[in-house]
Amino acid sequence: MFALSSCIQGGQQEESSSTSVLVRLFVLSCLSENQELRIMAAKPKLYYFDGRGRMESVRWLLAAAGVEYEEVLFQTAEDFKNLIKSGKLMYDQVPMVEMDGMSIVQTRAILKYIATKYNLYGKDLKERAIIDMYVEGMRDLNDMIMFFPFSLPEEKQKILNYILERATQRFFPVYEKALKDHGKNYLVGNQLSWADVQLLEVILMVEELKAGVLCAFPKLQEFKARVIKLPRIQKFLQPGSPRKPPVDDASFEVSRKIYKIDKNFVLKHMS
């Protein structure tokens, strides 16, 4: 009887010990999951200067996804140096976005992550390839416009004419045809994608250079009117939103001091 009692008690102790271990493991697992959920739920944090630049497309895409975010805007070169010293900034370059426990750099990497996470990157590999082709073309046009304010004064009109020629002869006809051939409201599939958001951003940038530039593109006119009415996009276009104004001399001077840009080098390079 004593031996049986001892066995029973030993078994109960062993079972209790095993149960305790399982409970502890479950609690630790829950804590880990909760910690991960807190990281995932935190607002993305954008690190850049107070201007458009390459971060503006990120702002557009987050707005289209309905994601609220915070911005850390550099005011001095020291702010930028401190970020570099933190060790978070791969390549010592911005833009950088902190989200989901990561410090993401390189504009395309940031945009692809956001587009994938928020279902703005097509339904399959084929649609993603088409979106990539559209977006890469828009990026070429976007870059021309982004650097236009820094062109040499004597070449400004020549470069403006070049940008408008490229927009109306090379890029816009592609998207006009895509919308016509596709027969849908959006460029790819039948729902809003990264390509649509990027296209609207570029259209508005070109219109800032010359009003009425879409006169020869009825499908793009319809597209613009339709996408602008989407509640999230409409909100981003309202005064007081995080959307940044076009670059001017004052904002360029701020960025030049932060990043120690040689203005003459930029002017010569862009010209």
Side-chain angles (χ1 to χ4, degrees), residues 217-234:
F217 304 100
K219 287 295 181 183
L220 287 180
Q221 292 178 48
E222 293 171 7
F223 170 86
K224 174 192 167 186
R226 181 167 52 248
V227 177
I228 276 180
K229 290 178 182 178
L230 296 176
R232 292 171 178 174
I233 299 295
Q234 201 171 49

Side-chain angles (χ1 to χ4, degrees), residues 31-162:
L31 288 173
S32 177
E33 288 177 5
N34 287 336
Q35 185 179 20
E36 184 176 347
L37 285 172
R38 283 196 297 272
I39 291 173
M40 297 289 282
K43 289 182 180 179
K45 189 175 288 187
L46 282 52
Y47 292 80
Y48 209 58
F49 76 101
D50 190 10
R52 283 186 180 177
R54 299 197 182 281
M55 184 65 88
E56 191 69 1
S57 293
V58 177
R59 298 183 183 106
W60 267 96
L61 200 56
L62 286 169
V67 178
E68 294 185 2
Y69 54 88
E70 300 174 359
E71 293 194 81
V72 178
L73 301 173
F74 307 140
Q75 301 299 325
T76 66
E78 195 64 29
D79 294 337
F80 184 44
K81 285 181 183 178
N82 288 336
L83 181 59
I84 293 174
K85 289 177 183 177
S86 73
K88 295 179 180 180
L89 196 57
M90 188 185 295
Y91 308 123
D92 295 345
Q93 293 176 331
V94 287
M96 183 186 85
V97 175
E98 283 184 341
M99 63 185 300
D100 297 344
M102 299 186 294
S103 298
I104 314 174
V105 298
Q106 295 297 314
T107 310
R108 287 177 180 82
I110 295 168
L111 291 167
K112 284 186 177 183
Y113 183 82
I114 294 169
T116 303
K117 179 180 174 69
Y118 296 105
N119 196 29
L120 293 166
Y121 202 10
K123 70 178 187 296
D124 54 34
L125 194 59
K126 183 177 179 180
E127 287 194 355
R128 289 185 179 187
I130 298 171
I131 288 170
D132 283 340
M133 287 191 287
Y134 288 151
V135 166
E136 289 303 311
M138 294 171 205
R139 175 55 57 188
D140 290 343
L141 182 55
N142 185 304
D143 282 352
M144 291 184 215
I145 299 168
M146 182 172 63
F147 288 106
F148 170 67
F150 315 132
S151 52
L152 291 167
E154 62 270 24
E155 295 187 357
K156 221 172 186 64
Q157 187 60 49
K158 178 182 176 181
I159 294 174
L160 173 60
N161 293 339
Y162 177 78

